């Protein structure tokens, strides 16, 4: 082998450890700014609608007394349908006001 060939081989062999040392390097960590503080957004307003409906299947336990309401006849053997609708305003988590209209029917 020629001298030049040996020189190139020895030079290349000397660079091999440097290549593996460069492969172990890594980029510095990426720092991400903190997300802005979440600000609640109010969707809509405090107004709401409500509805109720029900049916009394077992008239044996019906202990309602509506004798003071004129035009309403009720007996212990009748089944009852009741319901109501209303609207209100939600002021806080602990305070709300609403107005309701209800109805009560009896079926023999």
């Amino acid at each position: 082998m020629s001298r030049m060939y040996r020189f190139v081989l020895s030079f290349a062999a000397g660079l091999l450890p440097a290549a593996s040392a460069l492969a172990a390097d890594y980029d510095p960590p990426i720092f991400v700014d903190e997300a802005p503080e979440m600000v609640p957004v109010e969707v809509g307003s405090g107004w709401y609608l409500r509805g109720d409906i029900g049916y009394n299947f077992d008239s044996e336990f019906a202990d309602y007394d509506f004798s003071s309401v004129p035009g309403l006849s009720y007996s212990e053997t009748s089944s009852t349908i009741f319901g109501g609708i209303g609207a209100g305003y939600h002021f806080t988590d602990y305070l709300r006001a609403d107005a309701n209209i209800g109805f009560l029917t009896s079926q023999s």
Side-chain angles (χ1 to χ4, degrees), residues 15-88:
L15 290 179
L16 284 176
S20 63
L22 290 174
D25 289 346
Y26 65 95
D27 292 332
I30 299 172
F31 293 102
V32 178
D33 292 336
E34 291 185 25
E37 185 177 335
M38 187 180 86
V39 178
V41 177
E42 183 177 340
V43 177
S45 64
W47 291 100
Y48 65 90
L49 296 174
R50 60 175 286 166
D52 303 308
I53 189 165
Y55 183 79
N56 182 8
F57 289 102
D58 193 3
S59 62
E60 181 179 328
F61 296 107
D63 56 356
Y64 307 116
D65 182 17
F66 295 106
S67 58
S68 63
V69 179
L72 181 64
S73 62
Y74 179 79
S75 67
E76 290 292 326
T77 60
S78 66
S79 58
T80 306
I81 298 174
F82 54 92
I85 58 173

